[in-house]
Amino acid sequence: MSDGYEPDTFGGDGQEEPVPGQERTFAALPPAQGRGFAESWWGRAWLKALEDTALDGQQLKKGRRFAREGRVGAVSVRPGRITAVVRDREESGYRSDVLLQELTDGEWDRFLDMAVDRAGHIAALLDREMPPHLVEDAAAAGVDLLPGIGDLDPECACEAWDHCPHTAALCYQVARLLDQDPFVLLLMRGRGERRLLDELQVRIAARAAGHAPPATADGPAEEAEDRAVRGVPAAEAYTAAGILPPLPPVPALPDGPGAAPSLDTETDPEPGVDPTALEMLATDSAARAHRMLAEALSPGHGQQPVPAGLTPGQDAVRLAAEARPEPWIANRLATGSGRQRAGLPAAVRAWQYGGTAALAVLDEEWTPDADALARARTRLAGAWEDDEAPRLRAERNRWTSADGTVQLRYGRDGRWYPYRKESGRWTPAGPSDEDPAAAWADATAPADV
């Protein structure tokens, strides 16, 4: 199957050359042994129009048999016409055409405006579906999409005046194409998929800008004003519940994230691209996706606040903490985090203890306001008995031991973060706690605990 302009391989029909994007040519379909010609409701409606129109049922039976045996060649679809060469049992080939009235510009305007008003119709078409309410809404707008009795007009080189086996075979084969893609029907009615979607996009953009497209020759200015009304009527939204199919069941959580693809190939990478770093990012992305899915499937997830996004610097620390990168990648992450290589381990440890909140406490020194400072001092005073309280020197949000080796940091979240000095640097010593005594215990515990 090919989209867009295809050369007219039939010739001699006196028709104008097709506009690019306004003709599609489908390769001959294989025989249809043991199956019906239409599975979708709109495909069956197409065949009903054929069967209600044809006067000779025997001709239809022969045509159905020709189609079932795969005697219909490539099918060309263009506005108002479908064409194919059909071979009979003597292997004679006959050019066969079936004509269908195109919609007028005014009818297309009404159809497009209806589709823009109901976004679900556009989504259905993009999913290669034509729900009944789309056709019903189009009919309510005065646009008949599906053919009715007498709408399928045959022309065949065998010179039959009614539907012959050749045109019938073509219609049965086209029903199979319609099953796969309802845009085939819309092309027959005058608009190809690309043109149709472009025109929908223009209307959507105009609607978003707060004005409708100008009125056409087929519609007064009042209709253009009506089309500018936004929103969905309440009655339509309410009744849609009985039309839309039920949601699919919740997917099962995989046992674990998928394996990252190997980029170790014979092809050299582009300059500046590190395959090892890309593999690490792919592995990390899979792990995050699995974790996010697990959270989404957990009870009460919908009531949880949406987490704030990470800055590039925070995400660089997260990668260093969770992906355990090679040393040369860690150097790049340290630069991305805005830190020196020597400062990255403390940031990684802070992340492991408390994520973004702990990372902020590592980086930020701030002065609590009077209320926050009073709460902090009250908690410190109540954490120990008078003779057990450590001697602490207060400076802004930090309380440091007299010997300068242990520190409690008071976070903006009202929690206490333990720190100890290692190799001349203040380093996170444990998770935060509401009790300063518990945080102090972590800070003063042996480093290997």
Side-chain angles (χ1 to χ4, degrees):
M1 181 177 71
S2 62
D3 292 333
Y5 175 77
E6 293 286 340
D8 185 359
T9 58
F10 304 103
D13 63 354
Q15 301 296 312
E16 295 181 359
E17 286 296 318
V19 177
Q22 289 290 91
E23 180 180 5
R24 297 175 69 183
T25 301
F26 297 83
L29 295 176
Q33 301 294 342
R35 54 153 286 170
F37 283 97
E39 296 178 356
S40 64
W41 76 269
W42 59 90
R44 292 193 293 270
W46 166 269
L47 290 183
K48 187 177 188 303
L50 165 70
E51 293 164 356
D52 287 349
T53 299
L55 300 177
D56 190 342
Q58 292 303 316
Q59 300 286 61
L60 291 186
K61 289 183 179 179
K62 288 182 181 179
R64 190 161 54 244
R65 190 159 55 244
F66 284 178
R68 196 173 294 282
E69 293 171 355
R71 295 183 176 276
V72 181
V75 177
S76 174
V77 182
R78 66 176 70 175
R81 180 180 295 263
I82 54 175
T83 308
V85 172
V86 181
R87 294 177 292 106
D88 61 18
R89 292 196 166 178
E90 286 71 38
E91 296 301 323
S92 297
Y94 295 88
R95 169 175 171 151
S96 299
D97 294 80
V98 175
L99 282 60
L100 179 63
Q101 184 67 43
E102 296 181 49
L103 300 179
T104 66
D105 288 343
E107 288 172 324
W108 274 115
D109 279 338
R110 293 196 294 274
F111 173 79
L112 293 167
D113 289 337
M114 178 276 299
V116 170
D117 286 338
R118 295 161 178 80
H121 291 342
I122 302 174
L125 286 173
L126 293 176
D127 285 339
R128 290 340 192 227
E129 295 285 339
M130 185 178 287
H133 53 284
L134 184 154
V135 176
E136 294 166 0
D137 288 345
V143 181
D144 292 324
L145 292 179
L146 292 168
I149 298 176
D151 287 346
L152 301 179
D153 189 14
E155 290 183 358
C156 187
C158 75
E159 300 184 352
W161 64 273
D162 186 27
H163 276 288
C164 62
H166 312 106
T167 58
L170 172 58
C171 285
Y172 279 108
Q173 204 74 310
V174 167
R176 296 171 67 184
L177 300 179
L178 289 173
D179 268 358
Q180 301 170 15
D181 189 352
F183 276 108
V184 172
L185 175 63
L186 297 176
L187 176 55
M188 281 188 271
R189 285 299 198 185
R191 300 287 169 93
E193 178 178 355
R194 184 67 268 156
R195 179 180 176 185
L196 193 60
L197 295 179
D198 287 346
E199 292 180 354
L200 283 169
Q201 185 62 42
V202 169
R203 279 170 165 75
I204 292 170
R207 187 69 54 84
H211 59 82
T216 66
D218 293 323
E222 289 79 4
E223 292 184 8
E225 293 177 2
D226 290 342
R227 291 196 296 265
V229 178
R230 299 193 201 181
V232 177
E236 179 184 336
Y238 179 78
T239 56
I243 297 173
L244 299 176
L247 293 174
V250 176
L253 179 68
D255 293 336
S262 173
L263 300 180
D264 185 13
T265 65
E266 296 180 358
T267 304
D268 293 333
E270 292 292 325
V273 175
D274 186 340
T276 304
L278 284 179
E279 287 181 3
M280 182 203 74
L281 290 175
T283 300
D284 174 73
S285 296
R288 293 182 70 195
H290 184 267
R291 183 168 61 250
M292 292 170 67
L293 180 58
E295 292 171 354
L297 295 177
S298 63
H301 174 73
Q303 284 68 50
Q304 300 299 317
V306 177
L310 301 181
T311 67
Q314 291 170 336
D315 200 44
V317 174
R318 181 197 64 79
L319 278 168
E322 297 178 0
R324 299 180 180 178
E326 299 290 342
W328 69 89
I329 299 177
N331 289 337
R332 295 176 62 181
L333 290 174
T335 302
S337 69
R339 306 168 192 277
Q340 298 296 324
R341 179 69 180 88
L344 185 60
V348 166
R349 191 177 297 184
W351 181 273
Q352 291 170 336
Y353 283 136
T356 55
L359 195 58
V361 170
L362 171 71
D363 294 334
E364 182 184 25
E365 186 175 356
W366 61 286
T367 301
D369 59 33
D371 290 341
L373 189 60
R375 287 194 298 271
R377 287 173 173 169
T378 299
R379 287 187 180 181
L380 283 171
W384 295 276
E385 298 294 336
D386 291 340
D387 57 345
E388 296 177 350
R391 293 177 57 197
L392 299 175
R393 182 179 70 256
E395 185 176 358
R396 306 187 73 181
N397 68 318
R398 300 178 180 183
W399 279 261
T400 308
S401 64
D403 61 3
T405 59
V406 179
Q407 190 176 82
L408 292 179
R409 297 189 179 184
Y410 187 64
R412 293 183 184 272
D413 55 2
R415 299 177 65 86
W416 297 90
Y417 291 77
Y419 274 72
R420 71 167 63 94
K421 185 165 285 189
E422 297 178 359
S423 302
R425 291 177 176 271
W426 286 113
T427 304
S432 66
D433 202 294
E434 292 184 351
D435 181 4
W440 183 265
D442 285 336
T444 55
D448 58 347
V449 174

